[in-house]
């Protein structure tokens, strides 16, 4: 298990991920970090993809590295395991407060979908911004 965990950690920490936004900023924040985020966030995590080609989330592209130690893997969008607080599978597209509670109790720091290339990370300290570019209009 130790060897497999190290291989997976090297795979995810060496890989670049991407996040799109309408705004430029110097650090990522999560739902409870400030009043704007708390009021406007629909989820408890920060979303990334394995491709920079997705343009629908804004003109500002963040290239990052993620420090992932204990991920929950999902095959497509839903986890295999049932969240005991909701009696439903965790859906990577919408991490609810009850999902976040379960994730925190298990010390999960990211949810990763192998098939979609999507990653949701919960601690902004585990995100290192490598580059920020803005699409030309």
């Amino acid at each position: 298990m130790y060897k497999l965990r190290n291989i997976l950690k090297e795979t995810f920490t060496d890989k670049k991920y991407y996040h799109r936004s309408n705004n430029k900023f110097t650090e990522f924040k999560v739902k409870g970090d400030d009043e704007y985020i708390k009021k406007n966030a629909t989820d408890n995590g920060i979303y990334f993809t394995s491709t920079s080609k997705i343009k629908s989330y804004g003109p500002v592209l963040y290239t990052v590295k993620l420090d992932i130690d204990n991920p929950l893997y999902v095959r497509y969008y839903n986890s295999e395991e049932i969240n005991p607080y909701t009696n439903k599978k965790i859906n990577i597209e919408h991490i609810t407060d009850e999902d976040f509670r379960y994730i925190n109790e298990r010390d999960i720091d990211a949810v990763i979908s192998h098939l979609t290339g999507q990653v949701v990370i919960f601690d902004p300290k585990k995100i290192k911004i490598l580059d920020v570019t803005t699409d030309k209009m």
Side-chain angles (χ1 to χ4, degrees):
M1 187 67 170
Y2 174 78
K3 195 174 202 179
L4 177 60
R5 181 174 296 277
N6 283 347
I7 291 168
L8 290 173
K9 183 168 175 54
E10 288 172 16
T11 301
F12 288 108
T13 55
D14 291 340
K15 188 172 180 173
K16 291 180 182 176
Y17 289 91
Y18 305 92
H19 176 89
R20 287 228 173 238
S21 176
N22 288 316
N23 305 305
K24 276 193 174 181
F25 46 83
T26 57
E27 63 184 20
F28 285 88
K29 294 184 177 184
V30 290
K31 191 173 181 177
D33 282 350
D34 63 30
E35 285 307 310
Y36 176 81
I37 301 281
K38 191 179 287 187
K39 182 178 175 186
N40 294 291
T42 57
D43 258 321
N44 291 292
I46 303 165
Y47 287 75
F48 297 91
T49 65
S50 57
T51 177
S52 63
K53 308 239 183 276
I54 295 174
K55 306 239 181 206
S56 62
Y57 296 102
V60 183
L61 176 67
Y62 293 85
T63 304
V64 303
K65 284 201 176 186
L66 303 175
D67 181 18
I68 299 170
D69 294 315
N70 187 28
L72 170 66
Y73 296 99
V74 298
R75 183 165 170 76
Y76 194 63
Y77 289 107
N78 292 315
S79 65
E80 291 299 315
E81 61 189 282
I82 302 293
N83 179 345
Y85 298 115
T86 61
N87 291 322
K88 296 179 183 176
K89 294 179 178 181
I90 295 172
N91 184 307
I92 194 170
E93 289 291 304
H94 184 68
I95 307 294
T96 66
D97 289 340
E98 291 83 12
D99 291 337
F100 189 59
R101 178 179 168 196
Y102 178 66
I103 285 166
N104 270 337
E105 287 175 0
R106 296 204 42 231
D107 291 323
I108 293 168
D109 57 358
V111 178
I112 300 170
S113 172
H114 285 299
L115 294 180
T116 67
Q118 191 172 32
V119 176
V120 182
I121 199 157
F122 304 103
D123 183 354
K125 293 180 202 118
K126 294 187 167 246
I127 304 166
K128 180 181 179 187
I129 298 174
L130 302 175
D131 191 32
V132 181
T133 57
T134 303
D135 295 340
K136 295 177 183 170
M137 299 304 221

